[in-house]
Amino acid sequence: MRHDDSTTDSRARAAQQVIPCIDVRDGVATDPSAIPGLADPLDVVGIAASYAHDGAGQLFLDVVDPWTATGYLPGLLRELRKTGLELIVSVQHGVLPSIATCTEMVSAGADALSVSTSMVEEPDRVAEAVRLLGGRRLVGVVNCSGDRQRGWRVRIQGGDTPTTADAVDISRQFGKLRVRALLANNVDREGTGIGYDLDLTRATARVSRLPTIASGGAGSAAQLSDALRSGDATYVLVNKVVHSGRESVGSLSESLCRHLHTDAD
């Protein structure tokens, strides 16, 4: 019985390290989800509830609408809070709006707002937000392309716009601000299922000294395990692999638990 309890606890801890992502436009998922049992495959709250039921503790809500078109968002956040998930909210590709709007989103249920584009274009605004809201209300996101040999260059506006900014330098700046966490995403790997850029995860985690979320390319529990067992990633982001219904947060965490247990042995 003690062994069963230990296994259950390990699976629960593994699930807490898996952060599912839902892409949102006009208040619904951008693509229908194939998760079994959903009443509406575009319903963000229904999708999130399934993740929470499987043991996830956090949700990354990636709202692609511009801030001017997010009148629905406070109401959606209030409904999502009922799932029990902590909510990391990205709007307009990580653009940080006015402090008043940030405060409204936090009041509605956002635990943290993600910042990526604004860190390149308006770093003073990001610093002001940290000063007024506290670092725990922000998650730094570094979208980039490249590799260890060539270096990683930051891409803004959801990865569509290249810049000359160095991803490692931007990660260091987030670390100095002591934001809640850092998400490191290689856009070259998004949707490929080939696994995370572990070199990027390692480099950004070590310079920022922040809890780091590996992102971009997740396709299997083994790849999640590779990111977590290195000690550089604290969390792993998953999107298509669970949204498509091919895996669930529960199945991934169960497999992840086995992988990590085998590594420990």
Side-chain angles (χ1 to χ4, degrees), residues 189 195-203 214 223 226-228 230 232:
R189 292 172 175 251
Y196 304 108
D197 184 341
L198 299 184
D199 290 328
L200 173 67
T201 305
R202 181 176 302 110
Q223 293 164 350
D226 287 343
L228 292 170
S230 69
D232 296 308

Side-chain angles (χ1 to χ4, degrees), residues 27-33 38-45 47 243:
V28 298
T30 57
D31 295 302
S33 173
L38 291 178
D40 178 354
L42 292 174
D43 177 36
V44 175
V45 178
I47 296 167
H243 191 78

Side-chain angles (χ1 to χ4, degrees), residues 15-176:
Q16 292 282 311
Q17 292 181 282
V18 178
I19 303 178
C21 174
I22 304 177
D23 299 321
V24 177
R25 180 184 289 112
D26 297 328
V28 298
T30 57
D31 295 302
S33 173
I35 295 172
L38 291 178
D40 178 354
L42 292 174
D43 177 36
V44 175
V45 178
I47 296 167
S50 74
Y51 294 149
H53 181 266
D54 273 351
Q58 300 180 71
L59 175 71
F60 192 97
L61 198 71
D62 194 354
V63 179
V64 299
D65 297 310
W67 277 104
T68 54
T70 57
Y72 66 83
L73 189 52
L76 177 60
L77 293 177
R78 283 189 285 270
E79 289 302 308
L80 285 169
R81 287 300 295 181
K82 297 176 184 177
T83 66
L85 293 166
E86 293 187 11
L87 306 175
I88 303 170
V89 183
S90 172
V91 180
Q92 196 177 326
H93 309 305
V95 169
L96 201 65
S98 67
I99 299 300
T101 303
C102 290
T103 302
E104 180 187 7
M105 293 301 122
V106 169
S107 297
D111 291 281
L113 297 175
S114 92
V115 187
S116 54
T117 297
S118 286
M119 191 62 177
V120 176
E121 296 184 337
E122 301 176 294
D124 290 344
R125 172 171 287 191
V126 180
E128 180 190 23
V130 169
R131 182 173 62 83
L132 296 176
L133 299 174
R136 290 288 299 169
R137 293 300 186 185
L138 298 178
V139 168
V141 174
V142 178
N143 290 315
C144 62
S145 61
D147 54 36
R148 184 178 56 172
Q149 286 72 34
R150 295 175 292 150
W152 297 277
R153 292 290 173 261
V154 173
R155 300 181 72 93
I156 58 175
Q157 302 300 337
D160 292 337
T161 304
T163 74
T164 58
D166 180 77
V168 176
D169 286 343
I170 294 293
S171 300
R172 186 178 290 108
Q173 293 176 41
F174 277 126
K176 289 179 179 178

